[in-house]
Amino acid sequence: MTACAIEATEAGDEDADASVPRAGWVLTVDGCYAARLARSGDSWFPERWTLDGPEPYAVPLPGNQPEEPGTEVQPMGDGRVLIRRFADGRNHFSLLYPTGPGTGELPLGAIECPDPGTRLRLLPPAPGGERAYALAVGPHSSAVWLVAGGTFGPEHVAEVPGRCSGGVWLDRTGRMLALDREADGRTKTVVVDLERGGEMSPLLQIADDSDDRLLLADADSGLLLIRSDAPSPGHARLGWGVLGSTLPVRFPECLRLPDRAVTPFAIQPGQVLTPESCAVALRVDGPEGSWVVVWRPADRRMRHVGAPEGWLAGAGLWTADGVLRLPYATDEVPCGVVTASVCPPVSPPVSAPVPEGSGGDAQPSEPDSPEPVAARPVPLGEAPLARLVTK
């Protein structure tokens, strides 16, 4: 059983472990709404961004008092904002919405985690925008909770042995959830089927002694962005694979930047049969600051993209036709989105798998067939590591 119990009491003390707000700029799957904790002096308050109109605009949703550090917010598909507050040892959930000059609030109940070693956080927005989930990570197992969109408040929907992190949705229905599970000293990505009682199956098992994590997935093309130390033990590298494919994960050399952290944050949707042509936006952090690069599996290099002043670092969205939109906030423009200029692919996707004996300059390959991705993911990493490093 899970270490957390449902409660419906009022808020109180803050989470002692939290010193800064955890939530950044969080976007719905369809790109219509976003939410974040905005700052006014030393105070924090929820803010909803509307992005599906001719111009983006923000609506402040302050409560009766400033939000505490550790508060999380998440936009819902109908424009309301889910908020998670920690108080009195409980995680309280409510839906916020504008009501004229004020903020309306619909309490959803709370989850208590008596074990001091258990931490709860919101999972990324689920497809459809009607439901929201949270992950409670305990010393020996992790629980998935439905915290918005249920019938009777928070509902326990799955229990996964081991400590889990991450959280990536693999389909458009909000059924298949990928989690990075730590067990027996190694981290591997597993898939949890939320419609089959939390049934668990493996997804990433690149090598027995490697740590394999899933960072991003696109439900249209099946493109996966992965971080693993399989090709270079002790040093995690970025790689890519295709959901439902039995081909091995590739680790392009161009995604390695010395003394810099490279993190993907958005994948171009809509490329149903051509995962190699999907554009991927990545955040680069180094001594010079943070900036944006764009990469496609079909290309062999990253392209630098100018980020706007006040960019909400690590946030952005792609349109299906390949336009990258980056949100920013400054004193002069508290809610802005710029369109980044991105070059098209330098070459069409390669249509054949790598032949034996082709050496290290292997080219990416196309999906196994033009058929829809299987309902249940096919585990990756059954192939050997030879020739996985590409340039």
Side-chain angles (χ1 to χ4, degrees), residues 52-271:
D52 59 348
E55 294 290 339
Y57 65 92
V59 176
L61 296 171
N64 296 327
Q65 61 186 25
E67 301 299 338
E68 299 287 355
T71 299
E72 290 183 294
V73 295
Q74 184 175 119
M76 304 296 292
D78 59 5
R80 293 183 293 180
V81 172
L82 174 68
I83 187 168
R84 181 198 69 86
R85 303 181 178 105
F86 186 85
D88 290 338
R90 293 176 289 272
N91 296 273
H92 297 258
F93 301 91
S94 295
L95 289 173
L96 307 179
Y97 52 93
T99 56
T103 301
E105 182 167 338
L106 175 63
L108 300 177
I111 300 174
E112 183 179 9
C113 300
D115 192 315
T118 298
R119 291 292 178 266
L120 184 145
R121 63 175 177 83
L122 293 176
L123 286 166
E130 298 178 354
R131 297 187 171 195
Y133 294 85
L135 180 69
V137 183
H140 307 293
S141 67
S142 302
V144 179
W145 288 82
L146 174 65
V147 296
T151 306
F152 304 106
E155 301 174 13
H156 176 258
V157 295
E159 192 79 16
V160 182
R163 297 179 58 84
C164 293
S165 58
V168 177
W169 297 99
L170 299 178
D171 61 356
R172 290 290 185 186
T173 66
R175 171 179 175 177
M176 310 302 286
L177 173 65
L179 295 171
D180 299 328
R181 185 175 74 109
E182 180 185 348
D184 301 324
R186 293 296 176 187
T187 300
K188 306 288 185 181
T189 303
V190 298
V191 179
V192 179
D193 189 336
L194 299 183
E195 290 189 6
R196 300 183 65 173
E199 179 180 300
M200 186 181 68
S201 57
L203 179 64
L204 290 181
Q205 299 182 83
I206 300 177
D208 291 339
D209 57 351
S210 64
D211 291 317
D212 312 317
R213 295 175 172 86
L214 179 62
L215 305 182
L216 283 180
D218 175 62
D220 295 329
S221 64
L223 180 64
L224 306 178
L225 272 295
I226 294 155
R227 194 183 303 279
S228 172
D229 62 356
S232 52
H235 301 279
R237 292 182 54 176
L238 280 179
W240 69 278
V242 178
L243 188 67
S245 172
T246 56
L247 294 176
V249 175
R250 304 300 178 92
F251 294 89
E253 190 70 23
C254 67
L255 295 183
R256 298 183 68 182
L257 295 181
D259 303 321
R260 291 169 175 82
V262 182
T263 307
F265 63 86
I267 301 177
Q268 178 187 357
Q271 312 305 299

Side-chain angles (χ1 to χ4, degrees), residues 16 20 27 52 79 132 237 261 288 320 322 342:
V20 295
L27 180 71
D52 59 348
R237 292 182 54 176
E288 308 87 348
V342 180

Side-chain angles (χ1 to χ4, degrees), residues 2 6 48 110-111 188-189 211 242 248 279 312 322 325 330 344 372 382 384:
T2 178
I6 299 177
R48 186 199 71 192
I111 300 174
K188 306 288 185 181
T189 303
D211 291 317
V242 178
L312 304 178
R325 305 180 70 198
T330 63
E382 300 298 334

